[in-house]
Amino acid sequence: MSRRRSAPRATTPRLLPSSPCPCGLPAAYGDCCGRLHRGQAAATTAESLMRSRFSAFAVQDAAYLLRTWHPDTRPDEVDFDPTLRWTRLEVLSTTEGGAFHAEGTVAFRAHWTEGREEGVLAEHSRFVRYEGAWVYLDALSLD
């Protein structure tokens, strides 16, 4: 996701391992994206990487986001807006991005709130394999 703003660092939102995973799959955070964030598992598809990156934005895990960003397009840092909360992910479609692919795309809508304002970031993200692992390359806006 490319919605980034420069803002003072806020307290990082934390989820309990038993909390519902922000990615929208019917699993607890600790058993779902939390495993990827902790480095206990790797994303096996472009979609699973997309979901784990959405969850990383939701919990403000900059280290995971940077680690899963292609070095050619990775920023120096990820700045989180302390008033912005990512609330829901809708995966609209995927192309390739499986075990036998070198690239894949995921179209999605990421819902957010900022104070009383609600919005949606629509994006078509591109993922590639880099050194054997899925990484985020770049995105096109769907707005």
Side-chain angles (χ1 to χ4, degrees):
M1 294 185 310
S2 58
R3 183 183 168 92
R4 288 181 286 135
R5 297 181 186 182
S6 294
R9 180 83 182 177
T11 304
T12 303
R14 294 285 178 210
L15 292 178
L16 295 173
S18 59
S19 297
C21 194
C23 80
L25 293 178
Y29 171 70
D31 296 329
C32 194
C33 294
R35 295 178 317 113
L36 281 71
H37 296 172
R38 292 187 307 271
Q40 296 174 325
T44 57
T45 65
E47 181 180 342
S48 65
L49 181 62
M50 169 61 235
R51 288 181 178 280
S52 69
R53 286 178 56 84
F54 174 83
S55 292
F57 273 99
V59 300
Q60 297 184 5
D61 187 341
Y64 181 78
L65 291 167
L66 293 171
R67 192 168 64 243
T68 58
W69 213 310
H70 194 283
D72 290 347
T73 57
R74 178 175 46 226
D76 292 333
E77 62 183 22
V78 178
D79 293 322
F80 297 104
D81 181 336
T83 64
L84 186 76
R85 297 288 174 253
W86 296 101
T87 59
R88 184 167 58 97
L89 176 66
E90 292 177 84
V91 173
L92 305 174
S93 66
T94 63
T95 59
E96 297 188 338
F100 302 106
H101 299 117
E103 56 187 44
T105 64
V106 179
F108 66 91
R109 287 188 194 110
H111 297 257
W112 54 268
T113 62
E114 188 171 22
R116 292 190 171 127
E117 183 182 356
E118 295 181 357
V120 176
L121 170 71
E123 203 170 89
H124 189 179
S125 294
R126 295 192 310 157
F127 299 88
V128 296
R129 287 197 186 265
Y130 178 77
E131 297 181 349
W134 283 109
V135 294
Y136 168 78
L137 181 62
D138 60 15
L140 302 170
S141 175
L142 294 178
D143 291 335

